[in-house]
């Protein structure tokens, strides 16, 4: 190939790539192809860095991101009160709770109106 035809071929390939990017960014095309591009990108990431070879060790991540600090000392819990005197224990009240008000047979709510769901209401 001559150098001039090689330059023309490279310019045509660059133009086709740019045209593909412009067409992909059109909303109807993007809506139909975005999930496929994302799946292809995930597949490439999986092939380059398979999860079997990556080992997650949380202690190394914590040590690398946080400055070294002293270990926190455990704080003692306050003592729970124990009451062994039966006379000091309050007795439950014997007052019965009143029954709830009965429901009315019918209710009329006013002030309501039609609401336009499309957003072009009055």
């Amino acid at each position: 190939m001559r150098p001039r035809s090689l330059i023309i071929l490279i310019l045509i390939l660059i133009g086709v790539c740019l045209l593909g990017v412009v067409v992909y960014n059109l909303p109807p095309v993007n809506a139909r192809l975005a999930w496929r591009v994302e799946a292809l990108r995930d597949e490439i990431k999986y092939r380059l860095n398979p999860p079997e070879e990556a080992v997650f060790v949380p202690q190394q991540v914590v040590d690398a991101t946080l400055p070294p600090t002293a270990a926190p000392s455990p704080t003692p819990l306050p003592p729970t009160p124990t009451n062994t005197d039966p006379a000091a224990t309050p007795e439950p009240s014997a007052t019965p709770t009143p029954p709830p008000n009965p429901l009315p047979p019918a209710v009329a709510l006013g002030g309501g109106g039609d609401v336009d769901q499309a957003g072009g209401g009055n």
Side-chain angles (χ1 to χ4, degrees):
M1 262 188 170
R2 291 188 282 177
R4 183 178 173 120
S5 62
L6 184 62
I7 291 174
I8 291 173
L9 180 65
I10 291 174
L11 289 175
I12 290 173
L13 286 175
I14 291 174
V16 168
C17 290
L18 287 175
L19 182 65
V21 168
V22 169
V23 169
Y24 175 74
N25 284 317
L26 294 173
V29 176
N30 191 318
R32 289 179 178 91
L33 293 180
W35 70 272
R36 291 179 191 253
V37 172
E38 187 175 336
L40 178 65
R41 186 176 52 226
D42 290 342
E43 184 69 24
I44 292 171
K45 284 183 183 178
Y46 176 79
R47 296 288 181 190
L48 293 176
N49 189 17
E52 294 86 27
E53 295 177 12
V55 178
F56 176 69
V57 181
Q59 189 60 34
Q60 290 176 351
V61 173
V62 171
D63 289 344
T65 58
L66 297 177
T69 58
S73 61
T75 57
L77 296 175
T80 56
T82 56
N83 192 356
T84 58
D85 185 15
T89 309
E91 292 293 323
S93 65
T95 309
T97 57
N101 294 335
L103 295 176
V107 175
L109 298 175
D114 293 337
V115 177
D116 184 18
Q117 296 289 321
N122 298 343

